[in-house]
Amino acid sequence: MAFFIASSPHAHSRRSTPELMKWVALCALPGLFAQTYFFGWGTLIQLVFAILLGLALEAGVMKMRKRPPMSALRDNSAIVTAWLLAIAIPPLSPWWIVAIGLVFAIVVAKHLYGGIGQNLFNPAMVAYVVLLISFPVQMTSWIAPTELQPSTIPFSDAVSLIFTGFNLDGLSLQQVRTGIDGLTMATPLDAFKTALHSGNTAAEALSQPQFSGLAGLGWEWVNLAYLAGGLLLIKLRVINWHIPVSFITSLLIISTLFSLFTPGETASPSIHILSGATMLGAFFIATDPVSASTTVKGRLIFGAFIGAMVFIIRTWGGFPDGVAFAVLLGNMCVPLIDYYTKPRTYGH
């Protein structure tokens, strides 16, 4: 009997890699629908375009490597990578942002390391960081939630803005974002951080129109939707609970302590937990079975480290969110974490 040894991801359930990837995409649907509801058709358009381009790149690279393309296309990993990148970028980003990002994600971060199971870093987050550093204007051009927009952007205008840079009336993305009131809209985390650096108090920062309830207008519901999908992933045993729970707990504890001892100088725990890519990162990105820690204790340390780094980057770093950078830093530490947390041999 031959003993076949393969690279990760390894699953302790009778599910194949294609099935696991399929469930990751299906459980991300609530968050996708919430993003589409609050930020318009752009997210769906980016998603469809990213999946088609991601599959084409995956097939092309496999042919260049002289390997059968269908074996890679069937594992659905390219779909998940394209999905994560598409929902992480602003909905009306130019089409070439997605194209450049997917080239880095699939060709560089995945296949140059040997393909699925060999990559050291999360491919989607590698692409996101490259795009954010290279094209900061395009990657921070988020539109206001539909409740704050003077008029909704129809599907046809969203397609035109993404692929031509102008809507059907000839207005550029910047003009569409500005709207009739002359106010451009930053994300809640960016708006809060900018307000504090400008000398405003936390209460003054929270009085801005993009804040509502527990966190940012629309963003709190997007995060709750990804939380629901993530809990379903845990229930189905597609992912383990250790990384998301330690991620969120670490971020919650640190943000609470700073809110108690330095009130008004940092964002509240609810803003950290329900803004930006917190829930998406905790359940769908940090839990990547290839680039995350593989031991039980290691997963707890890995998740806690990422949660702490998210708070540090959001509070003192140059970027408002920080989830992507935190995940990549955690990926760098995985060999060291696994080395010192590997279980003792049975009977040792």
Side-chain angles (χ1 to χ4, degrees), residues 57-68:
L57 287 171
E58 184 87 355
V61 174
M62 291 298 288
K63 284 189 175 181
M64 291 176 61
R65 297 178 61 191
K66 301 185 185 306
R67 297 188 177 184

Side-chain angles (χ1 to χ4, degrees), residues 30 48 88 143 188 243:
V48 173
I143 60 174
I243 292 175

Side-chain angles (χ1 to χ4, degrees), residues 116-127:
I116 185 172
Q118 305 293 334
N119 50 285
L120 302 178
F121 304 98
N122 185 293
M125 292 302 95
V126 170

Side-chain angles (χ1 to χ4, degrees), residues 148 150 177-184:
L148 299 178
R177 288 183 66 225
T178 303
I180 60 174
D181 58 359
L183 176 68
T184 56

Side-chain angles (χ1 to χ4, degrees), residues 130-184:
V130 168
L131 292 173
L132 186 59
I133 294 174
S134 304
F135 311 103
V137 175
Q138 289 79 6
M139 289 295 290
T140 54
S141 296
W142 284 87
I143 60 174
T146 52
E147 296 181 33
L148 299 178
Q149 294 177 18
S151 61
T152 58
I153 301 174
F155 180 83
S156 56
D157 274 357
V159 173
S160 183
L161 282 166
I162 291 172
F163 292 101
T164 69
F166 299 90
N167 67 2
L168 298 181
D169 294 326
L171 299 177
S172 66
L173 175 59
Q174 181 62 24
Q175 291 172 314
V176 172
R177 288 183 66 225
T178 303
I180 60 174
D181 58 359
L183 176 68
T184 56

